Amino acid sequence: MHVDADNRVLNEDAHARQCALLQTINQRNFGYFEQELLKKLGLEQEIKSIDVEIKDVRRLAATSPTLEGKLSWQKKQRELEARRGKLRRDLFARQDEVKAQHNDLITQLEGQQQQVEEYTLFTIEWELK
């Protein structure tokens, strides 16, 4: 009877370790996707910020009393629009890259069905005299 109780304790411990390992793997995968989402949100926020800045520059160009002022503000507007265009391209490229990685990971996970395999390496028997 004592052996059965010891085996039960060992089996429960092994099961707890398996669950902990699977949880660690899932947290790592979740962390990866969370980081990618934050990068995407950062790019989107920067684009929105530039949109606001472009709007302000347009207003300043329209209300500028001199030709030099108008030209200066329009040049600034062009620079901001070029920067926004580059950020948008970067965002789209990043989204495509993340989507491809996401699809690859899903395919891998579907094929693997994350599980822990357990093997008996050795068994020890002893006798007390």
Side-chain angles (χ1 to χ4, degrees), residues 42-60 76-88 91-92:
L43 282 173
E44 288 173 345
Q45 187 61 39
E46 190 172 353
I47 289 169
K48 286 179 184 177
S49 174
I50 290 174
D51 284 340
V52 169
E53 196 173 347
I54 288 171
K55 186 184 247 184
D56 291 341
V57 168
R58 281 183 185 151
R59 184 180 44 77
L60 291 169
K76 176 73 172 169
Q77 178 183 339
R78 271 196 329 264
E79 291 169 357
L80 288 170
E81 288 172 343
R83 184 170 167 220
R84 179 182 62 186
K86 182 187 179 318
L87 286 172
R88 283 182 177 165
L91 176 63
F92 294 143

Side-chain angles (χ1 to χ4, degrees), residues 5-129:
D6 289 342
N7 283 340
R8 183 180 51 77
V9 170
L10 287 174
N11 288 336
E12 288 174 358
D13 182 59
H15 179 71
R17 290 175 187 266
Q18 290 173 357
C19 290
L21 178 62
L22 289 173
Q23 184 178 10
T24 299
I25 291 168
N26 287 334
Q27 286 175 343
R28 183 190 65 215
N29 290 340
F30 177 76
Y32 168 75
F33 287 115
E34 189 71 17
Q35 287 174 352
E36 294 304 318
L37 178 63
L38 290 175
K39 289 177 188 176
K40 177 184 171 242
L41 291 175
L43 282 173
E44 288 173 345
Q45 187 61 39
E46 190 172 353
I47 289 169
K48 286 179 184 177
S49 174
I50 290 174
D51 284 340
V52 169
E53 196 173 347
I54 288 171
K55 186 184 247 184
D56 291 341
V57 168
R58 281 183 185 151
R59 184 180 44 77
L60 291 169
T63 60
S64 180
T66 66
L67 180 60
E68 289 176 347
K70 283 186 186 295
L71 294 176
S72 174
W73 288 116
Q74 287 176 354
K75 180 180 177 185
K76 176 73 172 169
Q77 178 183 339
R78 271 196 329 264
E79 291 169 357
L80 288 170
E81 288 172 343
R83 184 170 167 220
R84 179 182 62 186
K86 182 187 179 318
L87 286 172
R88 283 182 177 165
R89 287 188 300 277
D90 291 348
L91 176 63
F92 294 143
R94 191 75 190 130
Q95 286 173 329
D96 290 345
E97 184 179 320
V98 168
K99 186 67 171 174
Q101 289 173 352
H102 180 77
N103 290 339
D104 289 346
L105 185 58
I106 287 173
T107 302
Q108 289 173 4
L109 292 178
E110 286 174 343
Q112 291 176 347
Q113 287 297 321
Q114 290 180 358
Q115 59 187 9
V116 176
E117 293 184 17
E118 181 179 325
Y119 301 98
T120 302
L121 298 177
F122 55 87
T123 304
I124 299 176
E125 291 186 33
W126 68 90
E127 183 179 324
L128 295 176
K129 293 185 178 186

